[in-house]
Amino acid sequence: METVKTRREQYAQSTRQALLDTGLEFFVERGYPAVSAEELVRAAGLTRGALYHHFDGKQGLFEAVFEEQERRAAALIAEAMAAHDDLWQRALTGLDTFLDVCADRDYREIVVLQGPIALGWERWRELDQRHLGGLLVGSVRALLDAGLVKPYPVGLAAAALYGALTELALAAARTDDPAQTRRQAGRLVHGLLQGLRPADAG
């Protein structure tokens, strides 16, 4: 049975979304350190009380914006991978889609560039792993089970790829030629995965 939201619930939802939309716009355009809580609530037409009620302040709002970007990225990657039955092609597609997502302005600014600054490295890594780590580990495990990569421990193999992808995303975000760097990063990460493949793999 469908639940009908009360007017208060609808207002709370719209208030929360207004803060998220405003936060995304301001953090992308100006950067987390340069934005104040007062500016955020003024632009959203709300009060500081609303910000602290829903997000416990500016950092909490940034974290919520960050997680929205990560959820969207995970959904895009999973959808792209699901279009392939071949495990090897599925893994390559996942890597390519991740790099494409990193080229998106909002994701690049919020997750890749500002996330470690606003959240701190440990929290940034925790949230990133929460949303994308499962996809990577699952893909590596499937390749291992099928004998398509050498029998490294799944955690170590996933960590190696995760580290490479993280550094490639950072490098691509800071380059003067994003398109060329994206192409080069794609070739490089394909080569890294190929290097894990047994010599007799089909």
Side-chain angles (χ1 to χ4, degrees), residues 18-178:
L19 287 165
L20 286 169
D21 292 343
T22 303
L24 175 62
E25 178 186 351
F26 275 55
F27 295 141
V28 167
E29 293 294 337
R30 296 174 50 195
Y32 176 82
V35 178
S36 70
E38 188 60 41
E39 290 174 297
L40 288 168
V41 296
R42 189 186 309 122
L46 298 166
T47 65
R48 287 178 68 94
L51 173 63
Y52 282 88
H53 172 72
H54 287 281
F55 300 106
D56 199 29
K58 184 180 85 163
Q59 185 172 3
L61 174 60
F62 181 89
E63 185 169 310
V65 170
F66 179 99
E67 290 210 75
E68 276 202 334
Q69 292 297 312
E70 289 280 50
R71 280 190 290 270
R72 174 178 167 273
L76 288 171
I77 294 168
E79 181 181 5
M81 292 175 68
H84 298 278
D85 292 326
D86 180 81
L87 290 177
W88 190 256
Q89 188 57 50
R90 186 183 301 174
L92 292 176
T93 297
L95 297 174
D96 283 333
T97 306
F98 171 77
L99 293 174
D100 289 339
V101 167
C102 288
D104 175 78
R105 185 191 67 156
D106 291 350
Y107 188 91
R108 181 184 69 240
E109 289 296 326
I110 296 298
V111 176
V112 179
L113 294 176
Q114 296 185 49
I117 297 170
L119 303 174
W121 178 258
E122 288 299 325
R123 182 60 173 164
W124 175 85
R125 191 173 185 278
E126 176 189 347
L127 292 175
D128 193 54
Q129 287 276 13
R130 177 188 300 172
H131 292 283
L132 300 180
L135 284 171
L136 182 57
V137 170
S139 184
V140 170
R141 181 176 287 113
L143 293 174
L144 281 165
D145 290 345
L148 294 175
V149 296
K150 298 170 187 175
Y152 297 110
V154 62
L156 285 179
L161 288 171
Y162 177 80
L165 288 168
T166 299
E167 290 302 320
L168 285 171
L170 286 168
R174 294 167 176 157
T175 185
D176 293 330
D177 190 344

